[in-house]
Amino acid sequence: MYSYMIGKVISINKKTITFENNYTGYFINVCNPERYEVNKIKKLYLYKHMATNNKNNFIEEFYGFDRYELKELFLHLISISGIGPRTALNVCCNDPSTIKQLIHERDVQGLSVLDGITPKYARLIIDNLCDTFTIENAEHRGLDIGKLVQALKSLGYSAKDIDWALKHLDQSQSNVELSDLISQAIKVIAIGQNDASIIKAN
């Protein structure tokens, strides 16, 4: 069983990266491949899944996470009957702290708005994991995350923009009006987009 692997990112694909370790290249399924950089040395926490192809031959699939927190969430998700590793990986592409808080609060609607999570999966996840995460696990205590996510989604912001906003909002806030929270999130997203434009320009 693999715990983690340190190596170099050789190439980046739509849903995977090619990762070289000890002169061997691995195709590894990762969250948000575009966040990785070619030729960078990374430490990936790994999960090896045995699957069968259409000829009933066994194949190895690797799933990698740049933070142990993500691997831990992934392992919780695949422990649920009806959720496979690919679905779990899609769920992990969202901010893990937000997911934990929505699960803890049993917010099916808020969870189902996130990228890769249908209402069916949201109910399944909450039914199985609602007692797993305590409110201390959530970084955004006091913020109405579910309603904020829904509002930003309805305004046309992508899952990546929303994820950026949730990670960079002031986490010490409490009892904030939703309209004020939305305004703050939009400003945070705009700052993030401007930073990305500057990086591309350079």
Side-chain angles (χ1 to χ4, degrees):
M1 178 65 69
Y2 292 90
S3 177
Y4 64 84
M5 184 184 293
I6 297 174
K8 181 187 292 186
V9 178
I10 301 301
S11 65
I12 300 170
N13 308 302
K14 187 175 182 181
K15 295 183 178 180
T16 65
I17 62 171
T18 302
F19 196 70
E20 182 181 308
N21 169 268
N22 196 25
Y23 303 102
T24 302
Y26 299 85
F27 284 115
I28 300 180
N29 297 284
V30 295
C31 302
N32 305 311
E34 69 280 356
R35 295 182 181 178
Y36 291 80
E37 293 182 55
V38 173
N39 292 325
K40 289 291 185 179
I41 302 297
K42 293 287 292 184
K43 178 179 182 178
L44 291 181
Y45 296 93
L46 294 180
Y47 173 79
K48 183 172 75 171
H49 176 69
M50 298 301 295
T52 56
N53 58 20
N54 54 12
K55 295 181 180 179
N56 289 323
N57 295 320
F58 282 101
I59 57 173
E60 290 183 342
E61 291 184 334
F62 288 96
Y63 294 81
F65 308 90
D66 58 359
R67 287 178 288 160
Y68 183 76
E69 180 186 19
L70 284 173
K71 180 180 178 179
E72 185 179 43
L73 176 60
F74 175 85
L75 293 176
H76 281 301
L77 291 168
I78 62 173
S79 71
I80 301 172
S81 178
I83 294 183
R86 293 187 182 278
T87 298
L89 187 70
N90 288 336
V91 174
C92 289
C93 289
N94 299 284
D95 176 44
S97 298
T98 300
I99 294 173
K100 290 177 182 179
Q101 180 168 343
L102 293 172
I103 291 171
H104 174 79
E105 295 175 350
R106 302 172 189 254
D107 189 343
V108 174
Q109 188 175 9
L111 193 61
S112 63
V113 171
L114 296 179
D115 196 36
I117 308 178
T118 65
K120 173 186 173 182
Y121 285 131
R123 285 189 291 270
L124 191 59
I125 291 168
I126 287 172
D127 287 344
N128 284 272
L129 300 181
C130 59
D131 296 324
T132 301
F133 306 114
T134 62
I135 195 63
E136 285 77 22
N137 290 123
E139 294 178 0
H140 303 282
R141 293 185 292 274
L143 304 185
D144 199 338
I145 297 300
K147 290 182 180 179
L148 174 61
V149 170
Q150 293 175 50
L152 293 174
K153 196 88 170 182
S154 67
L155 290 171
Y157 287 102
S158 68
K160 291 177 185 177
D161 286 336
I162 296 172
D163 182 66
W164 173 271
L166 294 175
K167 287 179 179 177
H168 293 85
L169 278 175
D170 180 0
Q171 300 167 12
S172 64
Q173 300 177 92
S174 60
N175 301 318
V176 182
E177 291 289 334
L178 180 60
S179 58
D180 293 333
L181 206 54
I182 294 169
S183 297
Q184 292 177 33
I186 291 173
K187 291 178 182 177
V188 169
I189 292 170
I191 292 171
Q193 290 174 338
N194 287 336
D195 287 345
S197 297
I198 292 171
I199 292 171
K200 288 181 180 179
N202 293 332

